C-alpha cells in the first residue's frame, strides 16, 4: 500500500459495510448516476472528466476493507476509472441498464464503475455505478455540477477552477471518532427499541429464501396533483410535513396487511447539517428506524400527530449510526438475521438533476437497483404530485402483489387526507384492507 493513506471508516460506511456482509447481497447497496445524452458526445472528455472527479474526491478512489481487525478506508494515490463502451440499439435498453446497475462492486477493489452505452452516433447513455458506502443522493448533485464544468473545460479548452474538496471522508471519519458517541442518542434508541418485536414485511408472497438471489423488481406509479395538494393541506393543518403524512399512511397500510398494531419503517437521514460538507462527495446519509404504533381506533389525525413525534425524535437523535443503533440497543442480537427495517420510505422534495454540456442535451434517468429493504418506496416531488417507485425483492414478492400495494396506498391515502377524523380501522376497511 505504498503511497496509500489509511483512515477508519466513517460510522455511515461501517453501517453499509456491515449490512452488506450480514445480508450477503452486494447489489442492495448500489446507486446509479445516469443520463441520456442527445448529441455527439466526446467520449475522451467523458473519461477525462470522470478521472478528474475521482482525483478530487478521495472516497471515490478508496478501498473499504478490514485491516488488522479494523474497518478502514484505504485511499489510493492514483485510480483510473476505465470507461466501458457498449453498443446497443433502443431495443433492450431498459434491461441492459438494469443489468449494469446490479453488477456487484467489490469494495476491496473499487467503489465505482462507469459505462457509456452507444445507441447511435448522436444518442447515448452515461451510467456510473457507485457503491452507497461512498455516495449519497446529495453527492449525485455534486457529480452533476463537477462533471458539467470539467467536461465543458475539456471540449472547449477553457479551464475551470474548482474549489478544493475539504474535508475529505478520511478527515471526516477522524473528526467523528474524536467527537465520540452522543450518549443522549444512545439512551433514546435503547428506550425506543428495547422491546421491539421482530418486524415483518407486509403482504409478502413468500418467506425470505435461505440464499438471496439479489433479484429485484420495480413498479412505478404517480400520486396525482390533487391528492398531493390534499397531503400538503393536511400536513399544514397538523403542523408537520408531507413525509410524516406518507409515513403514517404507509404504517397504517402495513399494519392493516399484517393485523398488527405497530410496524417499523426505515428512512434515510442526512448528516450534512454542517455547510462545510456541501461540496464533499461521500456517504453522509444513514438509516434510522421509525417505530410506528398504529392503534386501530385512533383517528388518522391523531396517528399523524403521533407519527410526527416519532419522526422528530428519530431525526433529533439521528447522529447515532444504524450500525451503532443495532449494536448498542441489543437489536442485532435479538433479531438475529431478521431485518429491523424491512420497509423503507424515502422522499425527495428538492429533485434537480441536470447536466449543462456544450452541444449535448442531457436527461437524467432513474435506474433502480436493489432497494435497501424488502420493500422500498421512493417519492419525488413532481409539481404538486409525486412520482413514486416501489422497489421490491422478487424472491419475496410477485408483480401483482406490488401493484395492489401501490393501488391500496393511493386509495388509503386519499381516504385518510379527505377524512382525517376517521379511525384508522375505518379507513382501511373502506378500502378493502383489513
Amino acid at each position: 500500500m505504498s503511497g496509500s493513506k489509511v483512515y477508519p471508516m466513517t460510522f455511515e460506511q461501517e453501517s453499509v459495510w456491515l449490512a452488506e456482509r450480514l445480508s450477503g447481497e452486494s447489489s442492495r447497496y448500489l446507486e446509479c448516476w445516469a443520463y441520456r445524452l442527445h448529441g455527439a458526445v466526446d467520449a475522451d472528455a467523458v473519461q477525462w472528466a470522470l478521472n478528474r472527479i475521482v482525483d478530487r474526491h478521495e472516497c471515490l478512489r478508496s478501498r473499504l476493507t478490514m485491516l488488522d481487525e479494523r474497518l478502514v478506508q484505504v485511499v489510493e494515490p492514483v485510480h483510473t476509472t476505465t470507461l466501458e463502451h457498449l453498443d446497443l440499439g433502443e431495443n433492450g435498453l431498459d434491461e441492459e441498464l438494469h443489468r449494469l446497475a446490479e453488477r456487484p462492486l467489490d469494495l476491496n477493489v473499487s467503489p465505482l464503475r462507469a459505462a457509456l452505452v452507444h445507441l447511435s452516433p448522436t444518442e447515448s447513455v452515461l451510467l456510473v455505478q457507485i457503491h452507497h458506502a461512498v455516495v449519497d443522493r446529495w453527492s449525485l448533485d455534486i457529480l452533476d455540477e463537477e462533471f458539467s464544468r470539467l467536461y465543458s473545460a475539456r471540449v472547449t479548452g477553457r479551464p475551470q477552477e474548482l474549489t478544493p474538496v475539504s474535508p475529505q471522508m478520511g478527515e471526516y471519519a477522524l473528526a467523528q471518532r474524536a467527537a465520540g458517541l452522543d450518549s443522549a442518542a444512545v439512551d433514546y434508541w435503547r428506550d425506543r427499541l428495547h422491546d421491539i418485536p421482530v418486524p415483518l414485511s407486509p403482504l409478502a408472497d413468500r418467506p425470505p429464501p435461505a440464499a438471496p438471489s439479489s433479484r429485484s423488481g420495480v413498479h412505478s406509479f404517480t400520486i396525482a396533483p390533487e391528492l398531493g395538494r390534499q397531503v400538503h393541506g393536511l400536513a399544514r393543518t397538523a403542523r408537520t410535513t408531507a413525509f410524516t403524512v406518507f409515513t403514517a399512511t404507509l404504517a397504517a397500510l402495513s399494519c392493516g396487511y399484517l393485523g398488527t398494531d405497530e410496524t417499523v419503517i426505515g428512512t434515510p437521514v442526512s448528516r450534512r447539517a454542517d455547510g462545510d460538507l456541501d461540496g464533499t462527495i461521500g456517504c453522509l446519509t444513514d438509516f434510522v428506524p421509525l417505530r410506528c404504533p398504529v392503534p386501530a381506533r385512533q383517528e388518522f389525525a391523531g396517528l399523524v400527530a403521533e407519527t410526527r413525534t416519532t419522526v422528530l425524535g428519530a431525526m433529533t437523535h439521528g447522529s447515532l449510526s444504524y450500525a451503532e443503533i443495532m449494536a448498542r440497543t441489543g437489536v442485532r442480537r435479538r433479531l438475529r438475521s431478521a431485518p429491523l427495517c424491512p420497509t423503507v420510505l424515502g422522499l425527495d422534495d428538492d429533485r434537480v438533476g441536470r447536466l449543462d454540456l456544450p452541444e449535448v442535451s442531457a436527461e437524467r434517468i432513474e435506474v433502480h437497483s436493489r432497494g435497501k429493504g424488502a420493500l422500498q418506496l421512493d417519492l419525488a416531488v413532481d409539481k404538486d404530485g409525486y412520482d413514486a417507485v416501489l422497489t421490491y425483492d422478487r424472491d419475496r414478492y410477485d408483480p401483482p402483489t406490488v401493484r395492489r400495494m401501490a393501488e391500496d396506498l393511493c386509495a388509503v391515502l386519499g381516504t385518510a387526507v379527505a377524512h382525517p377524523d376517521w379511525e384508522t380501522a375505518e379507513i382501511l376497511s373502506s378500502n378493502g384492507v383489513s
Side-chain angles (χ1 to χ4, degrees), residues 317-378:
H317 300 93
S319 63
L320 198 65
S321 73
Y322 185 74
E324 291 290 349
I325 290 173
M326 294 289 285
R328 293 184 177 269
T329 61
V331 170
R332 179 180 296 145
R333 181 183 66 256
R334 285 187 281 114
L335 297 185
R336 297 181 183 176
S337 61
L340 175 58
C341 303
T343 305
V344 173
L345 172 64
L347 192 155
D348 183 357
D349 57 5
D350 189 27
R351 182 173 61 177
V352 182
R354 71 182 187 88
L355 295 182
D356 185 10
L357 308 178
E359 300 184 11
V360 174
S361 62
E363 172 191 358
R364 178 177 278 189
I365 55 178
E366 296 293 337
V367 182
H368 297 276
S369 57
R370 291 276 288 177
K372 306 304 185 291
L375 283 171
Q376 179 169 325
L377 175 61
D378 289 302

Side-chain angles (χ1 to χ4, degrees), residues 70-379:
R70 295 182 302 133
L71 295 180
V72 298
Q73 46 183 319
V74 181
V75 183
E76 301 296 354
V78 177
H79 177 83
T80 300
T81 301
T82 300
L83 182 64
E84 183 179 1
H85 291 266
L86 301 169
D87 291 312
L88 186 72
E90 289 286 351
N91 292 335
L93 176 60
D94 289 344
E95 292 81 0
E96 178 64 10
L97 295 180
H98 190 71
R99 183 190 71 81
L100 293 173
E102 288 204 336
R103 290 186 296 177
L105 279 169
D106 185 351
L107 284 173
N108 197 41
V109 177
S110 173
L112 81 164
R113 179 190 290 121
L116 188 62
V117 181
H118 301 274
L119 307 176
S120 75
T122 57
E123 293 286 326
S124 56
V125 173
L126 174 61
L127 185 147
V128 180
Q129 183 191 33
I130 316 176
H131 202 286
H132 181 51
V134 300
V135 75
D136 56 14
R137 297 296 290 183
W138 182 284
S139 298
L140 302 187
D141 291 334
I142 298 174
L143 279 172
D144 286 346
E145 179 183 358
E146 294 195 358
F147 183 84
S148 294
R149 294 176 66 179
L150 290 166
Y151 178 93
S152 299
R154 185 68 168 182
V155 299
T156 63
R158 292 192 289 268
Q160 288 278 354
E161 294 296 328
L162 297 180
T163 303
V165 177
S166 179
Q168 298 280 0
M169 278 294 94
E171 298 164 332
Y172 172 75
L174 292 176
Q176 268 191 332
R177 304 287 167 170
L181 297 179
D182 181 348
S183 59
V186 174
D187 292 342
Y188 171 84
W189 290 112
R190 280 178 177 159
D191 180 66
R192 189 72 182 167
L193 303 176
H194 77 279
D195 60 346
I196 196 166
V198 176
L200 300 172
S201 300
L203 208 65
D205 294 299
R206 290 171 293 280
S213 68
S214 298
R215 298 186 313 133
S216 64
V218 173
H219 176 69
S220 301
F221 60 104
T222 59
I223 293 173
E226 178 57 32
L227 181 51
R229 286 190 286 270
Q230 288 181 289
V231 168
H232 284 277
L234 177 57
R236 284 193 298 271
T237 300
R239 296 188 175 184
T240 188
T241 62
F243 174 79
T244 299
V245 177
F246 282 116
T247 301
T249 305
L250 183 58
L253 184 61
S254 297
C255 288
Y257 287 147
L258 294 168
T260 61
D261 59 3
E262 70 172 336
T263 190
V264 180
I265 296 172
T267 194
V269 58
S270 176
R271 304 266 160 73
R272 291 184 183 268
D274 186 347
D276 291 344
L277 294 165
D278 284 354
T280 301
I281 288 178
C283 179
L284 291 162
T285 300
D286 206 351
F287 282 91
V288 294
L290 304 175
R291 185 177 184 179
C292 302
V294 184
R297 297 303 172 190
Q298 183 180 44
E299 292 183 354
F300 186 75
L303 176 60
V304 170
E306 190 163 338
T307 304
R308 176 180 180 271
T309 300
T310 297
V311 172
L312 285 175
M315 298 305 164
T316 300
H317 300 93
S319 63
L320 198 65
S321 73
Y322 185 74
E324 291 290 349
I325 290 173
M326 294 289 285
R328 293 184 177 269
T329 61
V331 170
R332 179 180 296 145
R333 181 183 66 256
R334 285 187 281 114
L335 297 185
R336 297 181 183 176
S337 61
L340 175 58
C341 303
T343 305
V344 173
L345 172 64
L347 192 155
D348 183 357
D349 57 5
D350 189 27
R351 182 173 61 177
V352 182
R354 71 182 187 88
L355 295 182
D356 185 10
L357 308 178
E359 300 184 11
V360 174
S361 62
E363 172 191 358
R364 178 177 278 189
I365 55 178
E366 296 293 337
V367 182
H368 297 276
S369 57
R370 291 276 288 177
K372 306 304 185 291
L375 283 171
Q376 179 169 325
L377 175 61
D378 289 302
L379 302 168

